[in-house]
C-alpha cells in the first residue's frame, strides 16, 4: 500500500475533533474542542454553534501538531453517523471544504466502528468484543461473517446520557459522568436500584426515574446514590459483555466510548476478563472519548471508498453499525 496521510473530522455530538494518522497507524495529531454546559444537557443547536466556532482552529492546530504541510494530506474523512444532524453537518461541510481546497478525496465513516478500529490499532487486540459505552450509544459489538454485529444494546438511552441525566437532576452540567464518579468515590452504603438486563440488551430509563424519585425524597445521600448507580449499571454492562464473549467464543474485550474513562468500569471489566481467562484491552482516555484520530484511521481503512465526487455525499444520522459491509479486515 502506498503510504498515506489522512485527516479525519469528528463532530457527531459534543466534540469537534481533527486527527491526522499515517497509513502505518501512527497518530500524528489529535486535537479536539468539547462543548460543555454549567447546567443542562447538550442542546444540538448550541453544540453546532460551538463546532462552527471551534472547527478552523482545531483543524489548523492538528496540521501544526502533525508537523506537516496541508498539501501532504492525501485523504480526508469525516464522521458520517450516527449522531446529531446539526453537528454532523458542520463536520461534513468542513471536510468537503478541505477536500475541495486540497483536491483530495473524501470518505464518510461510521462513528461506532471507528471506536472499535482505533482500539484495535492502539491496543493490538485481534478479534475483540467491543463494549462501546458513550453518551448516545451503548452497544456490545463483535465481528462475525463480514459485518460488525450488535449483540446487545441499550433499549432506550445511552449509558452516558443516562449518567448525564442523573447528574443534571443533582444540579450538575454536561458532562455529568465524571461528577458522578467523584461522588461515588465517597459513597459507603449500597442502595438497591432496578437492574435491567434483557438477554444481551440493557435499559436505563426506569433506573433514572427511580434515582430521580430517590433524590427528590431527600432520604438518601447523593454520594450513596452515585455509588449504587455505578455499581448497578456497570454490573449490567459487564454482564452483557460477558454474555456476548461467551456467545461468540471470543477471548478479548475492548472498551470504547467516554463512559469507559470511568475507573470503576475499567476495574469491573478487568475482573470479569480475568475470571474467564480473557484479556481486557483499554486504550488511553484520549482515545476512548470522541476524537478525530479514530475517524482518520477509519478513513485509511476505507480509503478505497474515497471519492472526489463529493456533492452526493451526505450525513447519515441514523446509520447502524451493522449497515456497514466490512471489507478491510
Ligand atoms: P463520548 O460520547 O464517547 O465522548 O462520551 C461522552 C460521555 O462519557 C458523556 O456522557 C460523559 O458523561 C461520559 N463520561 C466521561 N467521563 C466519564 C467518567 N469518568 N465516568 C462516567 N462517564 C464519563
Ligand atoms: Mg462516541
Amino acid at each position: 500500500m502506498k503510504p498515506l496521510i489522512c485527516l479525519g473530522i469528528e463532530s457527531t455530538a459534543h466534540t469537534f475533533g481533527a486527527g491526522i494518522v499515517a497509513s502505518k497507524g501512527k497518530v500524528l495529531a489529535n486535537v479536539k474542542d468539547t462543548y460543555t454546559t454549567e447546567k443542562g444537557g447538550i442542546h444540538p443547536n448550541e453544540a453546532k454553534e460551538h463546532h462552527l466556532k471551534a472547527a478552523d482552529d482545531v483543524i489548523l492546530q492538528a496540521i501544526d501538531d502533525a508537523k506537516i504541510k496541508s498539501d501532504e494530506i492525501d485523504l480526508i474523512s469525516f464522521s458520517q453517523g450516527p449522531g446529531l444532524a446539526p453537528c454532523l453537518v458542520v463536520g461534513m461541510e468542513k471536510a468537503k471544504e478541505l477536500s475541495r481546497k486540497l483536491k483530495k478525496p473524501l470518505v464518510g465513516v461510521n462513528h461506532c466502528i471507528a471506536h472499535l478500529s482505533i482500539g484495535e490499532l492502539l491496543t493490538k487486540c485481534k478479534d475483540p468484543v467491543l463494549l462501546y459505552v458513550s453518551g448516545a450509544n451503548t452497544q456490545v459489538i463483535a465481528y462475525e461473517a463480514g459485518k460488525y454485529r450488535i449483540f446487545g444494546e441499550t433499549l432506550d438511552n445511552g449509558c452516558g446520557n443516562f449518567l448525564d441525566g442523573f447528574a443534571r437532576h443533582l444540579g450538575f452540567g454536561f458532562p455529568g459522568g465524571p461528577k458522578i464518579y467523584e461522588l461515588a468515590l465517597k459513597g459507603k452504603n449500597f442502595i438497591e436500584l432496578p437492574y435491567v438486563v434483557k438477554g444481551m440488551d440493557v435499559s436505563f430509563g426506569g433506573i433514572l426515574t427511580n434515582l430521580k424519585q430517590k433524590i427528590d425524597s431527600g432520604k438518601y445521600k447523593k454520594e450513596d446514590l452515585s455509588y449504587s448507580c455505578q455499581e448497578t449499571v456497570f454490573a449490567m454492562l459487564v454482564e452483557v459483555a460477558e454474555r456476548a464473549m461467551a456467545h461468540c467464543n471470543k477471548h478479548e474485550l475492548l472498551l470504547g466510548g467516554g463512559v469507559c474513562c470511568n475507573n470503576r468500569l475499567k476495574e469491573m471489566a478487568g475482573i470479569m476478563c480475568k475470571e474467564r481467562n480473557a484479556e481486557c484491552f483499554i486504550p488511553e482516555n484520549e482515545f476512548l472519548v470522541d476524537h478525530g484520530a479514530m475517524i482518520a484511521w477509519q478513513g485509511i481503512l476505507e480509503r478505497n471508498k474515497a471519492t472526489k465526487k463529493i456533492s452526493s455525499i451526505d450525513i447519515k444520522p441514523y446509520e447502524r453499525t451493522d449497515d456497514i459491509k466490512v471489507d478491510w479486515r
Side-chain angles (χ1 to χ4, degrees):
M1 172 172 79
K2 182 180 157 286
L4 287 179
I5 290 180
C6 180
L7 183 146
I9 293 180
E10 160 58 31
S11 74
T12 52
H14 43 71
T15 294
F16 189 94
I20 301 181
V21 177
S23 47
K24 283 193 174 155
K26 190 164 188 314
V27 177
L28 305 176
N30 192 29
V31 180
K32 62 176 179 289
D33 195 320
T34 297
Y35 160 86
T36 59
T37 69
E38 288 292 323
K39 246 184 150 197
I42 305 180
H43 191 297
N45 280 324
E46 282 178 15
K48 170 190 146 186
E49 292 302 323
H50 163 270
H51 295 352
L52 281 171
K53 276 202 200 102
D56 290 340
D57 285 348
V58 167
I59 292 168
L60 287 175
Q61 187 64 49
I63 294 172
D64 204 45
D65 285 4
K67 298 191 174 55
I68 57 166
K69 299 207 180 63
S70 54
D71 61 5
E72 291 175 76
I73 296 166
D74 301 293
L75 176 66
I76 315 289
S77 60
F78 74 101
S79 246
Q80 203 163 18
L84 300 170
C87 299
L88 287 168
V89 167
V90 179
M92 179 181 71
E93 290 303 338
K94 285 290 159 191
K96 286 189 173 181
E97 196 180 300
L98 274 175
S99 168
R100 272 188 218 104
K101 196 169 121 201
L102 303 175
K103 299 187 176 56
K104 296 296 155 89
L106 179 66
V107 59
V109 303
N110 178 281
H111 173 93
C112 308
I113 289 179
H115 272 289
L116 193 143
S117 296
I118 196 76
E120 284 189 334
L121 172 73
L122 297 174
T123 68
K124 305 207 165 31
C125 62
K126 295 275 178 295
D127 186 21
V129 166
L130 172 72
L131 177 59
Y132 171 39
V133 195
S134 74
N137 301 292
T138 296
Q139 298 182 343
V140 179
I141 303 169
Y143 179 79
E144 287 284 349
K147 284 189 173 178
Y148 286 112
R149 313 276 169 180
I150 302 170
F151 285 90
E153 66 185 313
T154 177
L155 300 173
D156 44 33
N157 292 331
C159 184
N161 285 357
F162 154 78
L163 290 170
D164 296 334
F166 173 37
R168 207 151 57 233
H169 208 76
L170 291 169
F172 300 109
F174 174 85
K179 315 246 171 51
I180 300 301
Y181 174 75
E182 292 302 326
L183 288 172
L185 290 174
K186 296 184 212 128
K188 290 192 180 69
N189 304 303
F190 182 78
I191 300 156
E192 195 157 327
L193 296 169
Y195 183 97
V196 192
V197 169
K198 296 170 196 263
M200 281 187 260
D201 294 329
V202 290
S203 151
F204 300 106
I207 308 176
L208 183 57
T209 304
N210 190 285
L211 279 166
K212 285 180 178 173
Q213 285 166 350
K214 286 196 163 71
I215 295 169
D216 295 344
S217 77
K219 285 191 203 148
Y220 303 93
K221 284 192 177 153
K222 56 185 183 304
E223 290 82 2
D224 288 340
L225 286 175
S226 300
Y227 162 70
S228 310
C229 167
Q230 285 198 169
E231 293 303 304
T232 304
V233 300
F234 294 167
M236 289 161 41
L237 295 172
V238 171
E239 179 184 333
V240 294
E242 180 170 23
R243 191 161 298 134
M245 289 169 82
H247 178 80
C248 301
N249 196 23
K250 294 198 196 279
H251 307 287
E252 296 177 339
L253 179 69
L254 175 65
L255 300 189
V259 179
C260 293
C261 295
N262 188 294
N263 288 336
R264 181 60 180 143
L265 179 54
K266 291 181 191 180
E267 182 182 41
M268 288 166 78
I271 293 168
M272 178 272 280
C273 286
K274 198 162 171 226
E275 284 178 355
R276 54 183 296 112
N277 272 332
E279 237 183 305
C280 186
F281 294 88
I282 311 176
E284 294 294 323
N285 285 357
E286 174 190 357
F287 298 103
L288 286 172
V289 295
D290 290 351
H291 65 282
M294 66 181 195
I295 304 305
W297 177 237
Q298 193 62 37
I300 285 179
L301 294 175
E302 298 189 58
R303 61 195 170 279
N304 61 343
K305 297 174 193 154
T307 175
K308 286 187 182 167
K309 290 184 194 141
I310 60 174
S311 56
S312 60
I313 295 179
D314 206 353
I315 58 167
K316 295 181 178 170
Y318 300 103
E319 186 174 66
R320 297 269 298 166
T321 304
D322 47 12
D323 285 339
I324 310 292
K325 190 168 171 288
V326 178
D327 57 7
W328 60 88
R329 275 179 80 102

